Amino acid sequence: MDLQPILDGIADKIGPHLSEGRVADYIPALARVEREQFGMAVITCKGETAQTGAADTVFSIQSISKVFTLTMALGKIGNDLWERVGREPSGSAFNSIIQLEREHGIPRNPLINAGAIVVTDVILSNRADPGGRGSGEAGIDAIREILDFMRSTAHDETIAIDREVAESEAAHGFRNASLANFMKSFGNMENSVERALRVYFHQCAIAMSCKQLARAGLFLAADGRDPISGKRIVTPSRARRINAIMLTCGHYDASGDFAFKVGLPGKSGVGGGILCIVPDIAALAVWSPGLNKNGNSHAGTLALEMLARETGWSIF
Ligand code: GLU
């Protein structure tokens, strides 16, 4: 299939929709991102690539990082993770606290904020010290390990953290602090709330382009093995399960709607990015900062709908 004309056609059709969403405004560093931007990149399991628009522009990946930290935490403690976080769609907002109280501090799934903070806590408690480069400070080492994982899956050492976004997340992170404190009170946090949040805010502040993200996610399209380098990242059954969680939980309380419209495992972030996996075929990422009412990229979702229609890539 010739992907380039399909992507270019989508970029043409998406123009009028770029001004329809609302840019995330909970922190100044995201609020000032220009709304009318759009990029998309696809990489197939055979290594073919296609891209359109601002596919090389870096943006704040935000919650898309949760897919990668989940992969890391499963690699560290395996199925024990499921004692501390569930695998059900939440049906509520990404930062909801009500459900957490009802369910005794066990977050519904690893892709909402509370679940991702538990995952970060697991990475902190089980952090590696590759090559003995450890700084001696747990938070710094965990942040470095997460960044190293993103760089290695994307095959790009230039990937970096936007410090301003990280600091501003911390300065405005009252809701996340209450989620973390809540879980701590239920005994579901091993590290201090401050330390876990520091790592969580830094992982959200990683800046990547559509092209880098699609490359980083490619192992999930190929049974857990990077089809280009041949390196195994996770087992086939784990890759399948991460995809299942993306499909059912990757779009906050609009996950069902995304499955209905696009039919692919995906994870969105409030920076306007969406990573999508087409099992056995490709990984792709789209970015447009205007968000719909559920906090998912408005034009990005429309673009993925068009792509799924034109390629027949829906898994259903
Ligand atoms: N840093 C954001 C938060 O924790 C992530 C939001 C998102 O992309 O879902 O509030």
Side-chain angles (χ1 to χ4, degrees):
M1 188 181 328
D2 195 357
L3 292 169
Q4 194 57 52
I6 297 179
L7 261 62
D8 289 337
I10 292 171
D12 282 347
K13 280 179 262 172
I14 211 73
H17 300 286
L18 298 184
S19 53
E20 289 169 357
R22 250 189 88 181
V23 172
D25 57 5
Y26 69 98
I27 52 172
L30 290 185
R32 61 166 183 269
V33 174
E34 193 196 319
R35 181 174 56 176
E36 278 84 18
Q37 301 193 75
F38 175 79
M40 196 172 198
V42 181
I43 179 159
T44 71
C45 293
K46 294 181 184 142
E48 296 143 347
T49 58
Q51 64 179 73
T52 192
D56 285 309
T57 304
V58 299
F59 56 89
S60 193
I61 68 168
Q62 293 292 328
S63 279
I64 302 172
S65 63
K66 294 170 182 170
V67 172
F68 296 90
T69 51
L70 168 64
T71 304
M72 291 172 70
L74 284 170
K76 289 175 184 296
I77 64 165
N79 288 334
D80 288 352
L81 181 68
W82 306 120
E83 311 277 307
R84 297 183 55 192
V85 58
R87 303 185 293 250
E88 290 293 340
S90 69
S92 34
F94 65 101
N95 56 5
S96 166
I97 202 163
I98 299 171
Q99 201 164 51
L100 199 54
E101 173 161 35
R102 261 201 317 257
E103 296 177 3
H104 309 291
I106 306 290
R108 270 286 170 102
N109 69 67
L111 300 184
I112 51 171
N113 283 17
I117 294 167
V118 167
V119 166
T120 304
D121 186 54
V122 168
I123 293 175
L124 256 170
S125 297
N126 298 277
R127 64 195 176 280
D129 182 9
R133 292 188 302 142
S135 66
E137 208 286 297
I140 293 174
D141 292 344
I143 293 166
R144 184 151 62 197
E145 196 182 336
I146 294 168
L147 185 61
D148 281 349
F149 185 65
M150 297 308 307
R151 288 175 170 172
S152 76
T153 51
H155 293 264
D156 192 334
E157 289 300 308
T158 65
I159 293 168
I161 291 170
D162 183 328
R163 305 269 158 212
E164 189 197 345
V165 171
E167 273 156 36
S168 129
E169 294 276 351
H172 294 84
F174 308 112
R175 175 75 71 122
N176 286 317
S178 43
L179 293 171
N181 274 298
F182 226 76
M183 294 190 291
K184 184 96 182 163
S185 76
F186 280 108
N188 198 12
M189 290 282 291
E190 289 173 351
N191 295 275
S192 75
V193 163
E194 293 70 29
R195 182 168 278 164
L197 286 177
R198 176 153 185 253
V199 178
Y200 172 74
F201 292 138
H202 279 79
Q203 80 187 44
C204 288
I206 295 174
M208 287 170 76
S209 66
C210 289
K211 204 165 144 191
Q212 291 168 330
L213 262 179
R215 180 72 185 90
L218 190 59
F219 72 96
L220 290 171
D223 285 336
R225 187 171 148 271
D226 181 341
I228 296 173
S229 70
K231 187 175 169 212
R232 176 154 301 286
I233 318 270
V234 292
T235 60
S237 74
R238 190 159 285 161
R240 226 173 14 248
R241 285 168 169 173
I242 295 169
N243 284 334
I245 292 170
M246 286 173 79
L247 182 81
T248 51
C249 313
H251 280 75
Y252 317 115
D253 44 343
S255 298
D257 203 45
F258 188 80
F260 182 82
K261 289 181 172 154
V262 178
L264 290 171
K267 180 71 201 94
S268 77
V270 292
I274 304 176
L275 168 66
C276 253
I277 306 302
V278 193
D280 300 325
I281 298 180
L284 56 113
V286 62
W287 171 62
S288 187
L291 307 178
N292 61 25
K293 65 175 184 349
N294 295 109
N296 301 308
S297 173
H298 173 70
T301 307
L302 285 177
L304 289 168
E305 237 180 297
M306 293 179 201
L307 185 86
R309 203 166 39 234
E310 289 179 37
T311 55
W313 278 353
S314 161
I315 59 170
F316 299 106

